[in-house]
């Protein structure tokens, strides 16, 4: 009788994306604390799922498994390491015990990384908890806003050229669509969360040792597109409401600005009319903030957690509202970067645009997965 594949153990298919592997493991796994006092039968099932997750969530181990099949020796050693961790061994004690068994440093490092990943994954908010209670995020200190930028820069440095190319392609798509009256802008707003989801998956794959590819830009079109499309629909509707508000406050002058029915020179406007325009701009900026709060984390919650668009947007808004201070710091950093981009004739945008995506991913990891530090090697 053929041994059950690791994909079957988790209930996923061969070729599954990393978020599918994560979601499948979370659907099976128990709480780490409960496992420490659980029955042996529960722990045995957990070891099966943990082994499958450790292998399939690691790019190198997964490639080796797909090519050569299961490494029985690694399974046995990982089961031992998991048992010791469940008995309360901390990282230092566990590493020392494994050395006493004459395991190589490479093997010890591999086992420790797998145990840490399993433990961290179980400590992160569960999918069911997010869907049912719409909680599962944390409030962080203001200084984390700067830390997100630092972590984002680390991800950018991992593959700077491909990041620049991807963002140039995305910018080109946006500019092309904007040239198409009405329909182009509608498509752009609807597709924005879908493109963002693909780039967020690229961040996750980079973090886990994989490669960033041009194909990442279109991952969202192959995965959870319906929910991402709904997020885009809310984004579009919100922008239409904001436009209506600005026209209502700014009158005919603001309408001419937006629709280009005639040339408008701000320097020739009467003071009263200019005041209306400025008020309309302030109203538009104020109304844009809650919309961006709804959209900020929504694509990541859809692709990484599998939540519905409605829940993802409410949860995103709540998380942003609870973390206003770090987001103020975060926004201030990007205002400074925007100024630097301006005085460098736009060259700074080659860094600023990719950094916006990578830093957004860092903020998600910190707030929703309680993982404030990205641990990657920059080659």
């Amino acid at each position: 009788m053929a041994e059950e594949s690791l994909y079957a153990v988790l209930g996923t298919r061969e070729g599954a994306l990393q978020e599918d592997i994560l979601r499948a493991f979370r659907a099976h796994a128990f709480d780490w604390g409960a496992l420490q006092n659980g029955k042996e039968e529960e722990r045995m099932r957990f070891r099966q799922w943990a082994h499958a997750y450790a292998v399939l969530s690691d790019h190198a181990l997964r490639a080796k498994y797909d090519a050569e099949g299961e490494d029985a020796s690694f399974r046995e050693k990982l089961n031992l390491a998991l048992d010791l961790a469940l008995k309360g061994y901390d990282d230092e004690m566990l590493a020392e015990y494994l050395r006493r068994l004459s395991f190589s440093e490479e093997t010890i490092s591999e086992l420790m990384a797998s145990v840490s990943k399993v433990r961290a994954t179980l400590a992160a908010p569960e999918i069911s908890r997010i869907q049912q209670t719409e909680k599962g995020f944390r409030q962080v200190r203001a200084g984390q806003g700067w830390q997100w930028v630092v972590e984002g820069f680390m991800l950018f440095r991992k593959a700077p050229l491909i990041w620049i190319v991807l963002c140039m392609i995305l910018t080109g798509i946006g500019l092309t669509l904007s040239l198409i009256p009405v329909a182009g802008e509608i498509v752009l707003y609807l597709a924005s969360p879908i493109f963002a989801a693909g780039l967020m998956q690229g961040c996750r794959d980079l973090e886990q040792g994989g490669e960033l590819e041009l194909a990442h830009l279109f991952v969202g079109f192959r995965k959870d597109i319906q929910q991402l499309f709904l997020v885009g629909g809310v984004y579009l509707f919100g922008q239409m409401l904001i436009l209506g508000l600005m026209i209502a406050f700014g009158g005919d002058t603001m309408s001419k600005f937006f629709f280009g029915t005639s040339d408008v020179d701000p320097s020739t406007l009467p003071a009263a009319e200019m005041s209306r325009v400025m008020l309309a701009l302030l109203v538009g900026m104020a109304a844009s903030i809650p919309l961006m709060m709804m959209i900020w984390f929504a694509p990541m919650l859809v692709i990484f957690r599998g939540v519905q668009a409605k829940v993802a947007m409410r949860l995103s808004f709540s998380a942003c509202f609870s973390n206003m201070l770090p987001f103020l710091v975060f926004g201030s950093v990007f205002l400074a970067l925007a100024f630097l981009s301006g005085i460098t004739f736009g060259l700074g945008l080659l860094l600023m645009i990719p950094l916006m995506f990578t830093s957004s991913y860092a903020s998600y990891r910190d707030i929703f997965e309680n993982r404030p530090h990205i641990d990657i090697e920059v080659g």
Side-chain angles (χ1 to χ4, degrees):
M1 181 176 178
E3 188 172 354
E4 189 176 26
S5 76
L6 298 186
Y7 294 100
V9 168
L10 287 182
T12 60
R13 68 190 187 286
E14 292 188 25
L17 297 176
Q18 286 298 319
E19 67 264 25
D20 297 323
I21 302 296
L22 173 64
R23 192 177 303 152
F25 177 58
R26 285 236 179 94
H28 287 300
F30 301 101
D31 176 78
W32 182 268
L35 279 166
Q36 291 182 306
N37 300 311
K39 298 179 180 179
E40 176 56 29
E41 182 182 9
E42 293 178 341
R43 295 167 90 165
M44 183 176 68
R45 290 200 303 269
F46 166 72
R47 287 195 297 268
Q48 291 179 319
W49 298 325
H51 170 253
Y53 172 67
V55 172
L56 298 181
S57 63
D58 183 279
H59 287 273
L61 292 176
R62 182 175 180 178
K64 182 179 179 181
Y65 171 75
D66 288 339
E68 303 174 8
E70 185 175 344
D71 184 342
S73 175
F74 178 75
R75 174 198 280 271
E76 182 180 345
K77 293 171 182 175
L78 180 58
N79 284 344
L80 171 63
L82 288 167
D83 277 338
L84 293 171
L86 287 170
K87 289 178 181 178
Y89 281 56
D90 60 24
D91 288 349
E92 184 177 350
M93 293 169 60
L94 180 55
E96 180 60 29
Y97 189 94
L98 296 176
R99 289 190 183 96
R100 290 179 183 178
L101 296 177
S102 300
F103 288 175
S104 69
E105 287 299 320
E106 181 180 357
T107 299
I108 292 173
S109 177
E110 201 171 54
L111 292 173
M112 295 294 294
S114 295
V115 171
S116 296
K117 179 186 293 185
V118 169
R119 189 158 38 194
T121 301
L122 293 181
E126 298 176 10
I127 296 172
S128 59
R129 182 184 174 201
I130 288 178
Q131 291 175 326
Q132 293 170 7
T133 70
E134 299 179 33
K135 295 181 181 178
F137 60 85
R138 70 189 189 115
Q139 188 172 0
V140 301
R141 59 185 178 82
Q144 288 301 104
W146 167 250
Q147 183 65 28
W148 299 339
V149 180
V150 174
E151 303 287 341
F153 184 66
M154 291 175 62
L155 279 174
F156 171 77
R157 286 182 60 204
K158 185 72 175 176
L161 181 59
I162 189 65
W163 269 120
I164 291 172
V165 171
L166 278 170
C167 290
M168 288 179 66
I169 292 173
L170 185 58
T171 302
I173 292 173
L175 291 174
T176 301
L177 289 173
S178 66
L179 295 176
I180 305 173
V182 184
E185 293 187 6
I186 290 175
V187 171
L188 180 60
Y189 282 119
L190 290 174
S192 291
I194 303 176
F195 286 123
L199 293 180
M200 294 303 100
Q201 182 60 53
C203 289
R204 174 138 295 183
D205 288 345
L206 265 182
E207 180 194 6
Q208 295 178 345
E211 298 292 331
L212 182 66
E213 302 173 348
L214 293 178
H216 275 112
L217 193 59
F218 306 100
V219 165
F221 290 92
R222 305 194 306 270
K223 184 69 177 176
D224 294 317
I225 186 172
Q226 181 179 5
Q227 297 305 314
L228 293 170
F229 185 80
L230 289 174
V231 174
V234 172
Y235 188 30
L236 172 63
F237 182 70
Q239 291 290 355
M240 291 174 63
L241 285 179
I242 292 170
L243 176 62
L245 280 172
M246 293 178 71
I247 290 175
F249 279 90
D252 291 339
T253 302
M254 186 59 65
S255 180
K256 292 174 183 177
F257 272 129
F258 281 119
F259 300 110
T261 53
S262 62
D263 292 332
V264 178
D265 184 357
S267 63
T268 63
L269 291 175
E273 194 67 23
M274 192 63 193
S275 296
R276 291 187 65 187
V277 170
M278 294 301 297
L279 176 61
L281 292 174
L282 289 174
V283 168
M285 290 175 61
S288 295
I289 293 174
L291 178 62
M292 291 306 301
M293 291 167 66
M294 290 176 61
I295 303 299
W296 188 263
F297 291 118
M300 288 173 275
L301 288 166
V302 170
I303 63 168
F304 295 145
R305 300 294 195 200
V307 301
Q308 300 294 302
K310 180 180 178 181
V311 175
M313 287 184 284
R314 286 205 301 264
L315 184 57
S316 176
F317 180 87
S318 298
C320 290
F321 186 81
S322 297
N323 287 280
M324 282 190 173
L325 289 179
F327 272 109
L328 282 174
V329 174
F330 181 80
S332 298
V333 173
F334 274 92
L335 280 176
L337 289 175
F339 174 76
L340 291 176
S341 296
I343 63 176
T344 57
F345 304 100
L347 289 177
L349 293 174
L350 296 177
L351 170 62
M352 180 180 167
I353 296 176
L355 191 59
M356 177 63 74
F357 288 109
T358 55
S359 299
S360 299
Y361 174 73
S363 69
Y364 169 82
R365 292 172 73 264
D366 191 8
I367 291 175
F368 285 96
E369 296 183 351
N370 194 15
R371 296 191 296 140
H373 301 292
I374 294 177
D375 185 17
I376 59 174
E377 295 182 3
V378 179

